[in-house]
Every structure is written in structure tokens, then in C-alpha cells.
Amino acid sequence: MNVLLIGGGGREHALAWKLAQSPLLATLYAAPGNPGIAHHALCVALDPADHDAVIAFCAAHDIGLVVVGPEAPLVAGLADALRAAGTPVFGPSAAAARLEGSKGFTKQLCAREAIPTAAFVNAATLDAALAALDRFGLPVVVKADGLAAGKGVTIAATRAEAEAALAAIFADAGGSAVIEAFLTGPEASLFILTDGSTIVPLGSAQDHKRVGDGDTGPNTGGMGAYSPARVLTPALEAAAIDTIVAPTLRAMAAAGTPFSGILYAGLMLTDQGPQLIEYNVRFGDPECQVLMPRLQSDLLALMLAAATGQLAAAPPPVFADETALTVVLAAAGYPGTPATGGEITGVAAAEATGAIVFHAGTRAEGDALVASGGRVLAVTALGASTAEAQRRAYAAIDRIALPGGFCRRDIGWRDIG
């Protein structure tokens, strides 16, 4: 089977790495891909926003499945266009992708279905948002309603911080905000594979969003992760599925917008039980970079079963008992304006340790590999424990050089203690 993978980041490199291992695969194409993905796929110049071009490519290359990595093409309806043309897709429709595309939509669904989540106000104007702040204590959570690449969240410790965050959201026409009560407890990410009715857990992870050690500094797209997140015990996972995931999928199906693909639930494990922070409608980045190395099952077979409504008949996924831990190497200036163009060296030396180096923001310039984005590489290692995986990941990343590049030095600290 020929497969087209949409995307070109670290998540998509992890997916390409795993898809390439499938005995079902004939040729893997990636649009646009990156230098790391190019080791596993044929990279093609194809704009995911040009639905007609993607459909034509699939017809010309006998594509049996399209895997959409990032959220933006899903929210824009790429999966709908492909399905209408008869091509199976792993990823939700635009209507179902609203679970990530609009935080207000998801919070309203939670309110209707009594799904546990933080108290909230959805505000369409700056005046309404400022007035709503009076209903919350401090700290308070301020979120941009739409897509924000994992960075549209401010945990405001003061009224001034909250007002500044709201002013930034409403600086652009059409801005909308969700203001939430601050929840306390450990966080965990739960991944669910679904064809719209069958629910299959696909692992857990814990991300590290803040740019600095000890969870300090601004939010980023993610500076590292480890899997499994043992704080999400089997009992808590079952509770999250029963009270959060299953009611969500039932509600989406009842509305005529069934969700298929990967549903990523960001959870806060409070004293009252799991509560939903937010949904993503695709694999997390960098969580995908720790899930894929642990997954022992055929990813392509699982994705195809989800895309064709056959998930109930598929064997359950099997994961290695080992812990996987990934450390992100970021460019100077991230998460603000990152410095690009710096030459990256030492990748082969890092991989010689047994680690896997996933490319995120890289490009080839002649024989050189250079940084092209904020998050440049994700270096993943496996170990019998989180501490061992951490040691191996840092031993590998320390062999890589990028002028001005940096990483957090404490990924996995909550599990290690």
C-alpha cells in the first residue's frame, strides 16, 4: 500500500519512522517532509492547503491511506475533501476537528455532557473577557480560542498578566478567548485511537511545556516528554475514558460529526479525579516521539483500521515495557523568534549511542544540516526506568552541536523525583 503523510515536523518524522516498519507499506510519501523524514519516505512538494492538488497526487500515485500529522489541515477540512474523493484518511473531519480548533466549542460540549473540566467563561469581546476575570481567583488560565500551536495559553499569576494576555488575544479582529479556573494536580496526556465508535487506548505521556528547567518561563510547543506517564494509573485511565473520552465521542457521533483518528486528551489529575484540560485531534509533539519507539504493533494496520471503521476487529496495540524519553534541542531565541540557519553537527554520533534523533525544524543546505525552526531536533532514548532513559537521552543530545542551541536538563523530573 502507498501512503501519503502530511507534515514536516518532529511528530511526522516519528510517524514516518514507524510507518516505514510496516509490512503493509509499499511506498511512503511525505509532504513536505524534512531531511530526517527523507530517510524513510519520498518527500514531495505538495501544499496541504491545496486540496485539489492533494487529491490529484493521491489518484496519480495510488495512495491507499493519507495520514494527516498536524492539526491545521484537519481544521481546514483536508480529510473531508479526500474522503469525498474516495481516499481513506487517518484524521477527523473539519467538524470533528473543532475539538481542537475551538476551545470554546469543546468547553460548551463539556458543559452539555457533564464532562469534568475547569469552570470557564467563553468571551467574544475584550470587555466581556475583562469582566469575566472578576469571577475567577488567581492564578487564572487565559486561552486563545483557536489554534495556537501549543502556545496560546497563559497561566496568569496577577490581574495585570491576565489583562495583558487578553489584550494580545483581542488585538486581532475576530479574537475570542476562554478564561478558566486554575486546576491543580499532575498533568498527563492520554491518547485514544478511534474509528468513531470503538475506543482503543494508545499510550500515555507527560509533556514539559515550559521553556526552562523546573517548569519556568513561557509555554512552548513542548521541550520534552516521557512515556508512559505512570501517574496516570490504570484506574485513573479507565476513569478518564469513562467520564471524559467516551461521553465526548458519543456526543460527537450523536451530532452527526463522528470523530475518527487520534484523540489526545490533556488531563489534570485532581483530588476529584481526572479533568479535561483540552483536546488535540492529532498526536502530540513531542509526545509522538516517545509513543512510537514504545509501540510494538503495526502502526499502519492500526491507522487503516481506524480510517475504515474496522478498529473493533483489530488486535489491541502492544507497547514495550521500557520507558521512552525525548529531549528537544531548540534554537536560540525560542519560543520567541528563533535563530535559523545554524549548522547542526553530531547527529550520527548521537544515533551511535542507540538513541533516535527525530528532525523537527531542519533543512539541508548542500551537505550541511541547518536549523530552520524553533524546535530543531527531538532526541529519544529507551531505558528500563525513566532515570535510565533520561541518562541515555542526554548522553546522546550532548553529542550534538548547534550554535546557540539549548535544551532543558530535567526532562522526566516528576517521575524520577
Side-chain angles (χ1 to χ4, degrees):
M1 171 186 295
N2 294 338
V3 175
L4 172 61
L5 172 64
I6 301 294
R11 166 184 48 228
E12 288 77 34
H13 188 182
L15 293 175
W17 176 84
K18 191 62 184 177
L19 287 168
Q21 300 170 26
S22 173
L24 300 176
L25 182 69
T27 301
L28 178 62
Y29 298 92
N34 66 35
I37 292 172
H39 291 295
H40 314 288
L42 294 175
C43 296
V44 295
L46 191 61
D47 181 3
D50 188 342
H51 295 179
D52 289 341
V54 177
I55 290 167
F57 180 91
C58 291
H61 295 83
D62 193 26
I63 300 298
L65 180 69
V66 176
V67 177
V68 184
E71 61 275 21
L74 294 167
V75 171
L78 178 59
D80 305 78
L82 286 163
R83 289 192 181 103
T87 300
V89 185
F90 182 81
S93 66
R98 285 180 296 173
L99 287 171
E100 179 170 0
S102 172
K103 294 177 178 64
F105 171 84
T106 297
K107 297 295 280 191
Q108 295 292 344
L109 182 148
C110 288
R112 291 194 304 272
E113 303 298 326
I115 292 169
T117 190
F120 73 99
V121 170
N122 194 190
T125 68
L126 179 57
D127 286 345
L130 293 172
L133 285 178
D134 295 332
R135 298 170 53 178
F136 297 90
L138 292 171
V140 64
V141 182
V142 177
K143 297 180 177 179
D145 185 37
L147 295 180
K151 292 179 280 188
V153 178
T154 299
I155 300 173
T158 66
R159 173 83 182 207
E161 278 187 73
E163 291 181 354
L166 289 170
I169 290 170
F170 288 99
D172 297 324
S176 179
V178 173
I179 303 164
E180 295 184 4
F182 179 73
L183 298 175
T184 58
E187 292 186 34
S189 302
L190 174 62
F191 296 86
I192 298 294
L193 186 68
T194 181
D195 56 9
S197 55
T198 300
I199 294 174
V200 176
L202 199 66
S204 66
Q206 192 171 70
D207 190 12
H208 299 62
K209 282 289 187 187
R210 300 281 191 166
V211 73
D213 287 8
D215 290 334
T216 57
N219 273 337
T220 72
M223 294 298 293
Y226 66 93
S227 173
R230 292 176 182 83
V231 68
L232 185 66
T233 64
L236 288 173
E237 180 178 301
I241 291 172
D242 288 345
T243 64
I244 296 173
V245 175
T248 298
L249 294 177
R250 285 195 299 267
M252 296 300 287
T257 56
F259 183 98
S260 71
I262 196 80
L263 185 61
Y264 158 12
L267 304 173
M268 186 72 78
L269 306 179
T270 73
D271 291 341
Q272 290 75 44
Q275 296 202 36
L276 180 69
I277 301 171
E278 62 184 20
Y279 279 127
N280 292 318
V281 299
R282 37 66 188 182
F283 283 103
D285 186 342
E287 293 95 336
C288 194
Q289 291 92 304
V290 289
L291 289 174
M292 293 302 105
R294 292 187 59 240
L295 179 64
Q296 297 179 325
S297 302
D298 185 339
L299 177 65
L300 179 51
L302 288 168
M303 287 180 161
L304 190 62
T308 57
Q310 303 297 314
L311 197 54
V318 176
F319 285 88
D321 291 333
E322 293 175 291
T323 296
L325 185 143
T326 194
V327 180
V328 169
L329 177 64
Y334 182 76
T337 302
T340 60
E343 184 174 357
I344 306 157
T345 58
V347 171
E351 292 177 329
T353 69
I356 310 165
V357 178
F358 293 116
H359 292 231
T362 69
R363 71 172 184 269
E365 283 190 358
D367 293 333
L369 182 70
V370 303
S372 64
R375 292 185 296 170
V376 180
L377 299 171
V379 179
T380 303
L382 293 166
S385 64
T386 304
E388 183 178 45
Q390 183 196 62
R391 179 183 58 78
R392 290 176 174 175
Y394 281 111
I397 205 166
D398 285 343
R399 297 190 177 199
I400 299 172
L402 169 65
F406 69 97
C407 66
R408 279 184 58 164
R409 307 300 305 190
D410 64 345
I411 302 302
W413 68 273
R414 284 192 181 86
D415 197 53
I416 296 169

